[in-house]
Amino acid sequence: KLADIGQLKVISRTSTMKYASHPEDLKTIAQQLGVATILEGSVQKAGNQVLINVQLIDAKSDAHLWAQSYTRTLDNVFGVEGEVAGQIATALKAKLSPAETTRLATNLSSNPDANDLFLRAEYLTERAGANFDHAGFMEATALYRQALDKDKEFVLARARLSYAESGAVWFGSGGDGSQQLAADAAAQAEQALAQQPDLVAAQLALGYSAYWGRQDFAAALKAFKAALKLQPNDAGALFATGNVLRRQGHFDAAIDSMQHALALDPRNSGLAETLAETYAATSRFAEAERYVRLAMALDPDNFQASVLYSELILLGSGDVERALAAAQGDNSVLQLWRVQLLTYQRKYRDALALLEVIPDTLDNFGYQSGPKALLQANLYRLAGDAARAQSLYAQALQQSRAHLAALAGKAIKLSFVWNEIAAAELGLGQTDAGLASIAKSETLATQSGDQFFGPGLRQVQASLYAQAGRADLAVPLLEKELATPGISETYSPVMVWIDPAWDPIRHDPRFEALLVKYASAKPAASNSEGNP
């Protein structure tokens, strides 16, 4: 709780800045982001009192511009932040609007037990958001519900419950009562808004229930704009807006919104990683590397950032060995990525051995990766063990088809699943069925309107056409997607030289023409001849 009130807010005429109370690297971060001044805060406890030291520092010269200390009792610990922030604003001669003054008041509960549960849920939610962790979101929802059991009028907890439920839906694979969770997320957001219409977190919850809950990007953007109308410099609303904009294919606008958000919340590792992703999607690899390094520095346990850093190495240079070295660790996210890198090296047995130790759960093998059996089947096929591959393809086909009902109405997720069904059908020799499933996946990807996932999905569809020996379909689609904004977060021209997915058509004149077109992307050492 003391760590929470160490997050001091400074309100100015133009922005709201919120910094965590770990000042050791704030100067470096401020310089990276072009922030002119830093507000450092520390909190010390002595008996029933807290001593809060605050100082404003010039980020360039390190000169102290202003400093003040405040002593408060712990009788109402959660009221201290708003009280002190208001006094700081006065000391800095900031002009607060009535709405800003109101927002300085805490939105926490008067029930200490409810607050404790809420803060534990918040920690889990932040971790889950950074690591795309369905299980973490589910764990957080239970704590938010317990907080609401302690205080039915705890509106902020209700709004954040809605957000966590939407996160569990988006990062899940249709299990755990996904449809019920999505419905409850929408209901909780509506109730929070009814209770407190000017609560930014409630508008954000409504937006995420549209975005993550049902992939309605227009409705999500409307809610996020409403949040920004309430508080124009809310980092969460700016970040959310940027996420939707990139789904709509507006990558430059998404980057601008996320840059603004990161300037307001410069210690947010998940935000920095998502900004890096968005730069990568537009082939701006130098900027992407800058921000993914920042994400890793802010949070060494941000596994998604570690994977992205490794991906940037691979997509920029084709250096699989260096990409592998950058993706070490026992987390399942990192292990699955190393399986893919070993596949690019054509070390199929090593990839199978690593895949074997990864627990076969929906959190590890969700709608984006497909069933574990499918990954195993593909590796056995590539290794030349058709007999082992066949039985696993049959198992994977059954598992993938079972996901269709759970993901009904979620076009972008269904597109992933139909790709997986197609891969299993092609692996079983059911070529016509496989081609029909690819076509379904293409249609769903287009219907979704998702310009962030869409290009990567179509690249996979091209690789499936290659698996079927249909260079006439694979090459035009691959060529088109390699030139489409959004593709380079997951794929780049260097991959045509090293990805074994293209081996079935590698010597087709149409694919050879593509290799000529991207000759400059050929890595120094490649397996371009497709030799295992």
Side-chain angles (χ1 to χ4, degrees):
K1 294 177 180 178
L2 289 175
D4 186 71
I5 65 168
Q7 296 187 7
L8 301 173
K9 297 172 185 168
V10 172
I11 312 296
S12 74
R13 284 185 294 258
T14 58
S15 66
T16 302
M17 306 290 286
K18 186 170 183 178
Y19 295 102
S21 57
H22 301 281
E24 65 277 359
D25 58 354
L26 282 180
K27 182 178 179 181
T28 300
I29 296 170
Q31 290 172 342
Q32 286 180 322
L33 297 175
V35 175
T37 56
I38 306 166
L39 180 71
E40 288 185 356
S42 65
V43 181
Q44 295 175 302
K45 180 178 180 290
N48 192 42
Q49 291 187 323
V50 288
L51 173 65
I52 304 171
N53 297 301
V54 189
Q55 51 190 341
L56 192 69
I57 299 171
D58 186 307
K60 293 183 179 180
S61 67
D62 210 26
H64 288 220
L65 306 176
W66 171 86
Q68 185 65 47
S69 296
Y70 302 87
T71 301
R72 295 291 184 272
T73 68
L74 289 172
D75 296 338
N76 181 15
V77 67
F78 292 108
V80 172
E81 181 183 29
E83 177 191 352
V84 172
Q87 293 191 16
I88 293 170
T90 300
L92 296 179
K93 295 182 171 56
K95 295 181 180 179
L96 302 183
S97 69
E100 286 173 327
T101 302
T102 299
R103 281 194 290 270
L104 283 176
T106 179
N107 282 306
L108 293 174
S109 172
S110 59
N111 184 314
D113 292 335
N115 286 328
D116 186 59
L117 289 160
F118 174 80
L119 292 176
R120 287 163 57 196
E122 285 288 277
Y123 172 79
L124 291 170
T125 297
E126 293 300 320
R127 299 294 306 157
N131 282 307
F132 312 159
D133 182 8
H134 166 261
F137 277 119
M138 289 299 293
E139 191 176 353
T141 62
L143 291 173
Y144 285 126
R145 288 186 182 282
Q146 290 176 46
L148 284 167
D149 287 341
K150 300 286 184 182
D151 181 357
K152 302 293 185 186
E153 302 304 314
F154 195 170
V155 185
L156 182 58
R158 189 175 303 283
R160 295 295 287 170
L161 167 62
S162 170
Y163 171 84
E165 288 178 323
S166 295
V169 171
W170 178 248
F171 295 107
S173 292
D176 294 318
S178 177
Q179 293 181 349
Q180 183 178 348
L181 271 176
D184 194 65
Q188 297 287 358
E190 293 283 5
Q191 185 175 344
L193 268 177
Q195 289 178 278
Q196 194 170 336
D198 63 347
L199 182 64
V200 171
Q203 282 288 357
L204 290 177
L206 187 67
Y208 276 106
S209 74
Y211 173 21
W212 283 346
R214 59 182 187 273
Q215 288 82 75
D216 185 340
F217 301 144
L221 199 57
K222 180 180 178 181
F224 296 148
K225 285 182 177 178
L228 286 171
K229 187 175 181 180
L230 287 169
Q231 195 161 327
N233 288 292
D234 183 82
L238 288 162
F239 178 52
T241 299
N243 270 293
V244 175
L245 287 171
R246 73 176 187 173
R247 295 281 167 189
Q248 296 177 320
H250 306 308
F251 291 102
D252 288 343
I255 287 170
D256 288 345
S257 190
M258 290 180 187
Q259 281 277 21
H260 191 180
L262 189 60
L264 296 167
D265 191 4
R267 291 187 57 86
N268 190 321
S269 176
L271 204 168
E273 188 273 333
T274 306
L275 176 58
E277 273 186 358
T278 313
Y279 271 120
T282 56
S283 302
R284 296 166 68 177
F285 292 124
E287 291 100 326
E289 182 175 345
R290 171 189 174 192
Y291 285 103
V292 79
R293 283 181 177 274
L294 175 60
M296 293 189 295
L298 290 170
D299 182 4
D301 291 331
N302 186 334
F303 305 118
Q304 294 295 339
S306 297
V307 169
L308 178 59
Y309 180 59
S310 174
E311 281 185 308
L312 292 174
I313 293 170
L314 174 71
L315 299 177
S317 68
D319 190 337
V320 185
E321 205 60 54
R322 191 159 67 93
L324 268 169
Q328 297 305 303
D330 295 331
N331 180 271
S332 297
V333 173
L334 289 164
Q335 290 176 320
L336 275 169
W337 175 237
R338 291 204 303 276
V339 168
Q340 187 62 62
L341 291 172
L342 289 167
T343 303
Y344 292 143
Q345 289 186 317
R346 292 170 167 76
K347 295 180 179 179
Y348 305 127
R349 297 293 174 180
D350 290 346
L352 280 163
L354 178 55
L355 186 58
E356 183 62 32
V357 305
I358 302 174
D360 189 0
T361 66
L362 271 177
D363 285 333
N364 290 334
F365 299 95
Y367 72 91
Q368 291 191 49
S369 69
K372 183 174 182 176
L374 181 61
L375 275 65
Q376 292 171 317
N378 283 332
L379 287 167
Y380 278 117
R381 173 178 60 83
L382 290 168
D385 191 339
R388 292 290 297 275
Q390 288 283 300
S391 62
L392 287 163
Y393 276 129
Q395 178 183 337
L397 181 58
Q398 183 179 6
Q399 292 173 332
S400 292
R401 286 192 175 279
H403 286 162
L404 294 175
L407 296 174
K410 308 294 191 299
I412 199 65
K413 292 188 177 185
L414 288 171
S415 182
F416 279 95
V417 175
W418 278 108
N419 274 349
E420 292 148 17
I421 290 171
E425 289 170 335
L426 293 174
L428 291 168
Q430 301 170 12
T431 304
D432 290 343
L435 293 174
S437 294
I438 299 171
K440 288 179 182 177
S441 179
E442 287 190 79
T443 298
L444 285 161
T446 301
Q447 287 176 351
S448 74
D450 192 326
Q451 302 301 310
F452 187 68
F453 276 165
L457 279 163
R458 284 184 280 271
Q459 172 267 311
V460 173
Q461 290 153 10
S463 73
L464 292 169
Y465 284 132
Q467 184 179 334
R470 294 295 301 272
D472 59 320
L473 298 174
V475 174
L477 183 56
L478 175 61
E479 188 171 19
K480 178 184 176 183
E481 294 314 310
L482 286 173
T484 300
I487 186 63
S488 52
E489 193 268 328
T490 55
Y491 219 72
S492 73
V494 73
M495 300 305 296
V496 301
W497 293 97
I498 62 177
D499 190 346
W502 311 116
D503 289 355
I505 61 170
R506 191 166 293 280
H507 297 296
D508 185 284
R510 288 160 290 200
F511 192 82
E512 288 180 335
L514 193 65
L515 291 175
V516 171
K517 179 177 180 177
Y518 290 114
S520 62
K522 184 177 181 178
S526 74
N527 292 310
S528 60
E529 296 305 313
N531 297 318

